[in-house]
Amino acid sequence: MKFSTVALIASAVCAVSAHTIFTDLITSTNTGNPRYVGMRLPSYDGPITDVTTAENACNGGPNPLTQISTQKLTVKAGETVTLQWRHTLVAGNDDIVDASHLGPIMVYMAKVSDSVTSAPPVSGWFKIYEDGYTNGVWAVTKLIQNKGLVSVTIPSCIPSGDYLFRGELIALHGAQSYPGAQFYMECAQLTVTNGGSTVPDQSVSFPGTYKGSDPGISFNLYNGFKSYTIPGPRPWTCGSTPSSPSPSPSPKTSPATSPVTSPATSPSPVSGNCLNQYQQCGGQTYTGGTLNAVKIWKIEQF
């Protein structure tokens, strides 16, 4: 039996099923059941693609925030909390995001006067966690393997009070040019107790900290690469100052075995109005290509 590729054909099926939402924050006092406690959530699971809009803080705009909790999540400074990501608000723990949506995961916090009623601030965001591409494995791949869970630690030295807690995933499957990267972010509403007295001295703004030309935002998954630069500053920790952005370590495995490093085996962009599978995920206001390219295999029997 002989297998041969005969054509790339256009399918009118739109692959919008690959989005994701940070739906819950699991803490020592919140198990994640019931869902959505202390969260600001959209009903639609689409991305933000413009890094210059105010929606980069806690989502909104093309994805209106229709489900805003009236509750706060109380956490202790130094406590480890766990973000839960799901494909949609009603998806199970085995439906997180499509595996093609490779990219980094980051967490920021910003102090506010009231985490339920305060608007997302533009400035004052400090990063407490990041994971990008290490030893040939993307953060999103690890997220899927871990059923949508990512654990981070609240800095033990920050002052007590209310904070917005921003979980972010960037999907790079369409990021060859800007705008193409897909930003998925939501915010949880925290009250931090047992805090210290150290105010983070390195903070950034949303919008402002990201530019479309950043190497971690305009990035080609399909041409082969040796490293990846996570957008934004390095995570702030008690007693230290974060460095400027630097590349994630190169994979130790050979290009033949590292994911999406070999042009010979990696998917390639499709020209015209066709897009690679799951690339046409621009949200409710998307105006780009609408045809989904799929590969058809022909079986020839002797």
Side-chain angles (χ1 to χ4, degrees), residues 168-186:
E168 177 181 38
L169 182 156
I170 304 178
L172 300 171
H173 57 293
Q176 297 95 319
S177 61
Y178 176 82
Q182 297 181 356
F183 300 81
Y184 297 92
M185 80 295 289
E186 279 78 34

Side-chain angles (χ1 to χ4, degrees), residues 89 128 172 249 277 297:
L89 291 179
I128 65 169
L172 300 171
Q277 189 177 22
W297 296 89

Side-chain angles (χ1 to χ4, degrees), residues 74-99:
T74 300
V75 299
K76 293 180 180 180
E79 179 179 333
T80 296
V81 298
T82 301
L83 296 83
Q84 172 72 70
W85 294 83
R86 295 184 177 93
H87 168 201
T88 67
L89 291 179
V90 297
N93 292 352
D94 57 350
D95 185 9
I96 311 305
V97 64
D98 190 84

Side-chain angles (χ1 to χ4, degrees), residues 22-63:
F22 161 38
T23 63
D24 291 284
L25 186 66
I26 300 169
T27 71
S28 60
T29 58
N30 179 54
T31 64
N33 186 20
R35 294 184 181 183
Y36 324 138
V37 175
M39 298 296 300
R40 300 186 179 193
L41 298 173
S43 59
Y44 178 63
D45 59 351
I48 299 295
T49 58
D50 183 354
V51 299
T52 67
T53 66
E55 288 77 28
N56 279 271
C58 290
N59 211 332
N63 315 308

Side-chain angles (χ1 to χ4, degrees), residues 39-177:
M39 298 296 300
R40 300 186 179 193
L41 298 173
S43 59
Y44 178 63
D45 59 351
I48 299 295
T49 58
D50 183 354
V51 299
T52 67
T53 66
E55 288 77 28
N56 279 271
C58 290
N59 211 332
N63 315 308
L65 298 177
T66 58
Q67 186 160 316
I68 300 178
S69 176
T70 59
Q71 301 179 55
K72 302 176 184 181
L73 295 170
T74 300
V75 299
K76 293 180 180 180
E79 179 179 333
T80 296
V81 298
T82 301
L83 296 83
Q84 172 72 70
W85 294 83
R86 295 184 177 93
H87 168 201
T88 67
L89 291 179
V90 297
N93 292 352
D94 57 350
D95 185 9
I96 311 305
V97 64
D98 190 84
S100 68
H101 282 37
L102 299 172
I105 294 172
M106 294 164 281
V107 177
Y108 294 80
M109 295 178 66
K111 201 169 191 308
V112 292
S113 58
D114 189 302
S115 59
V116 170
T117 62
S118 295
V122 173
S123 60
W125 294 95
F126 56 100
K127 184 187 284 187
I128 65 169
Y129 174 89
E130 65 179 22
D131 188 15
Y133 180 71
T134 307
N135 295 329
V137 182
W138 283 98
V140 166
T141 301
K142 289 183 273 187
L143 178 75
I144 295 171
Q145 293 171 345
N146 203 35
K147 296 188 180 298
L149 300 176
V150 174
S151 293
V152 304
T153 300
I154 305 295
S156 60
C157 60
I158 61 174
S160 298
D162 280 14
Y163 291 81
L164 290 178
F165 178 98
R166 178 183 182 273
E168 177 181 38
L169 182 156
I170 304 178
L172 300 171
H173 57 293
Q176 297 95 319
S177 61

Side-chain angles (χ1 to χ4, degrees), residues 237-278:
T237 58
C238 297
S240 67
T241 301
S243 61
S244 58
S246 59
S248 299
S250 300
K252 297 180 181 179
T253 54
S254 66
T257 57
S258 298
V260 297
T261 58
S262 172
T265 57
S266 298
S268 58
V270 181
S271 61
N273 199 39
C274 293
L275 296 173
N276 282 320
Q277 189 177 22
Y278 306 115

